């Protein structure tokens, strides 16, 4: 597979899973830090029009997290648990508090491509096809694309 410059978002037809892939000009260690350091994470996650506030963040195996993203005076809360945090992957749960019964199991893999580049692959297993399709209709693509574009700029500017 060649370099992935734009985020690829795919829905698995057989299971309620969303997969993404994107390459970054950064080492796996820097991408891991971007996902585990709460100050760094809050600066890049989500769409450009949102501001993220970390409420709780314990990025270690067995830890948990909660953050709130705000847009036009409306706040959206998210929380989860870090099942496993290690240099090559993070396994965590993810809940949007607007749908408190919906819990996704997410895995992020940091694949070293050499030459200071890393492929980030993610997989989100939702509870049902309806839940997965609601995520896809929610505008998640904009949030993922704009968030990763901010992360790209931060990596280029050595802000991570």
């Amino acid at each position: 597979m060649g370099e992935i410059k734009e985020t690829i978002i795919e829905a698995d037809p057989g299971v309620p899973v969303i997969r993404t892939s994107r390459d970054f000009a950064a080492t796996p260690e820097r991408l891991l830090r971007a996902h585990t350091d709460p100050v760094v994470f809050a600066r890049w996650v989500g769409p450009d029009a949102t501001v993220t506030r970390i409420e709780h963040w314990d990025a270690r195996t067995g830890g948990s997290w909660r953050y709130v993203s705000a847009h036009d005076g409306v706040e959206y809360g998210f929380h989860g648990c870090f099942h496993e945090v290690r240099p090559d992957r993070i396994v965590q749960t993810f809940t949007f508090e607007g749908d408190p019964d919906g819990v996704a199991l997410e895995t992020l893999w940091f694949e070293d491509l050499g030459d200071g580049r890393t492929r980030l692959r993610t997989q989100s297993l939702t509870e049902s096809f309806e839940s997965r399709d609601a995520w896809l209709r929610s505008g998640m693509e904009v949030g993922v694309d704009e968030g990763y574009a901010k992360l790209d700029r931060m990596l280029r500017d050595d802000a991570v």
Side-chain angles (χ1 to χ4, degrees):
M1 179 182 284
E3 184 177 12
I4 304 171
K5 294 181 178 180
E6 300 295 325
T7 305
I8 297 172
I9 300 175
E10 299 173 313
D12 190 305
V15 290
V17 164
I18 300 169
R19 292 186 181 95
T20 70
S21 298
R22 183 173 173 138
D23 294 350
F24 291 91
T27 63
E29 294 81 13
R30 290 177 71 202
L31 271 186
L32 177 67
R33 180 170 178 247
H35 287 82
T36 56
D37 181 315
V39 174
V40 173
F41 182 81
R43 289 181 56 202
W44 68 263
V45 72
D48 292 341
T50 63
V51 175
T52 297
R53 179 180 73 245
I54 302 295
E55 297 283 325
H56 171 75
W57 196 267
D58 184 11
R60 61 180 174 84
T61 297
S64 61
W65 56 271
R66 182 175 190 272
Y67 67 86
V68 175
S69 293
H71 174 68
D72 284 341
V74 179
E75 293 189 340
Y76 306 92
F78 304 87
H79 70 268
C81 297
F82 290 104
H83 177 76
E84 180 179 47
V85 177
R86 63 183 206 200
D88 64 332
R89 79 175 195 170
I90 296 172
V91 180
Q92 64 185 10
T93 59
F94 179 95
T95 296
F96 166 52
E97 294 174 358
D99 180 19
D101 291 336
V103 179
L105 178 62
E106 297 186 332
T107 305
L108 297 79
W109 291 273
F110 307 100
E111 183 181 331
D112 190 349
L113 299 175
D115 297 328
R117 297 178 319 112
T118 300
R119 177 162 297 149
L120 172 61
R121 293 184 300 113
T122 73
Q123 175 176 284
S124 299
L125 173 63
T126 63
E127 294 182 336
S128 66
F129 287 99
E130 292 79 15
S131 180
R132 179 199 67 190
D133 294 345
W135 279 35
L136 292 169
R137 287 189 310 270
S138 73
M140 72 165 274
E141 183 176 346
V142 172
V144 169
D145 283 338
E146 291 182 359
Y148 284 166
K150 285 185 279 186
L151 180 55
D152 266 337
R153 290 189 298 273
M154 291 173 63
L155 292 165
R156 190 175 45 246
D157 296 342
D158 288 328
V160 179

